[in-house]
Amino acid sequence: MKPENLNIIIADDHPLFRNALRQALSSEFKNTQWFEADSADALQALLERSDIEYDAVLLDLQMPGSHGYSTLIHLRTHFQDLPVVVISAHEDNLTISRAIHYGSSGFIPKSSSMETLAEALEAVLFGDIWLPQGVELQEINEDETNQMASKLADLTPQQYKVLQMFAEGLLNKQIAEDLEVSEATIKAHATAIFRKLGVRNRTQAVIALQQLEMEKVDI
């Protein structure tokens, strides 16, 4: 029997894919409430709601505001009990291996059938790790990218949000207005971000974040 009465987030920037995924899974998971996010900011806003306890996140690695694995790393650090399943157009072993290494509870290629999607989600909800058939995970070495991932995990949610806004090219004043805080607060966040990432300025911080990027895939 499949789990019922769930709260599940679909985080993907393609509305047609979100809609198709929700419709396909709704027939398998009864009385489930589906939440949708089309960007990293929208996902964070959902997660900050105190009135809902979520059961899983279906996460696209390349939403606006995300930088490769950065959102996955952030979720695993600050929402440790929430299963995250990566759904991606990337299907190579290294991408899958890195996703699992960074804490994903499963990896579902976007080319999968809806039956496979339902099977994968059910397995994850029961506490299993789900991988595509035939995948052999690679060992992830402690290279520069992996070290940066560990440093990124040390950022608080607010520091991570500020770093994302740095990557968007926003000025301190703009960030302060968007987050409804003072410029002095943003400067304090910046100092903490630079220290935790081991960099000296905004440019270096953005470059560090971009180390977690992947090659673009159209889907």
Side-chain angles (χ1 to χ4, degrees):
M1 180 178 295
K2 286 183 170 57
E4 296 185 2
N5 302 309
L6 304 171
N7 294 314
I8 297 177
I9 299 174
I10 300 174
D12 189 288
D13 63 330
H14 291 79
L16 290 178
F17 182 78
R18 292 198 309 271
N19 185 58
L21 188 58
R22 186 185 69 252
Q23 288 187 353
L25 293 176
S26 292
S27 63
E28 298 289 336
F29 298 91
K30 306 297 184 182
N31 303 316
T32 291
Q33 189 168 4
W34 302 93
F35 300 83
E36 297 185 22
D38 60 1
S39 67
D41 283 346
L43 174 59
Q44 184 65 31
L46 285 175
L47 293 170
E48 288 175 353
R49 291 181 58 171
S50 59
D51 59 327
I52 298 174
E53 184 174 339
Y54 299 103
D55 296 285
V57 176
L58 304 178
L59 176 69
D60 178 19
L61 293 174
Q62 293 189 308
M63 292 187 300
S66 291
H67 297 269
Y69 303 96
S70 65
T71 298
L72 171 62
I73 294 165
H74 175 71
L75 288 175
R76 298 317 311 131
T77 303
H78 297 286
F79 303 92
Q80 296 180 3
D81 296 329
L82 179 62
V84 179
V85 184
V86 169
I87 300 182
S88 178
H90 294 266
E91 302 182 18
D92 60 281
N93 274 16
L94 180 58
T95 297
I96 296 172
S97 298
R98 282 197 180 279
I100 299 302
H101 178 76
Y102 292 139
S104 177
S105 296
F107 190 102
I108 308 173
K110 282 192 172 180
S111 61
S112 301
S113 67
M114 290 302 169
E115 291 79 7
T116 298
L117 284 164
E119 172 194 325
L121 179 55
E122 181 179 7
V124 168
L125 289 170
F126 279 115
D128 296 332
I129 301 293
W130 193 93
L131 295 173
Q133 191 171 12
V135 168
E136 294 185 9
L137 294 179
Q138 300 175 221
E139 182 178 353
I140 303 300
N141 298 318
E142 283 292 332
D143 58 12
E144 188 175 354
T145 299
N146 204 36
Q147 292 170 12
M148 185 52 63
S150 297
K151 293 177 181 178
L152 185 69
D154 288 336
L155 300 182
T156 67
Q158 192 77 337
Q159 289 166 358
Y160 177 69
K161 186 177 294 185
V162 170
L163 176 58
Q164 287 178 304
M165 298 175 90
F166 284 170
E168 294 170 10
L170 298 181
L171 302 175
N172 284 356
K173 181 179 180 180
Q174 294 172 303
I175 298 173
E177 290 176 353
D178 285 350
L179 299 182
E180 299 182 344
V181 297
S182 68
E183 284 191 62
T185 297
I186 299 304
K187 290 178 181 178
H189 282 318
T191 299
I193 291 167
F194 301 160
R195 175 176 52 81
K196 289 181 178 181
L197 297 185
V199 300
R200 291 178 293 180
N201 53 47
R202 286 173 57 134
T203 300
Q204 291 181 348
V206 172
I207 291 173
L209 181 63
Q210 290 171 343
Q211 290 180 23
L212 295 166
E213 295 270 17
M214 301 176 299
E215 293 182 4
K216 294 294 184 182
V217 172
D218 294 327
I219 187 165

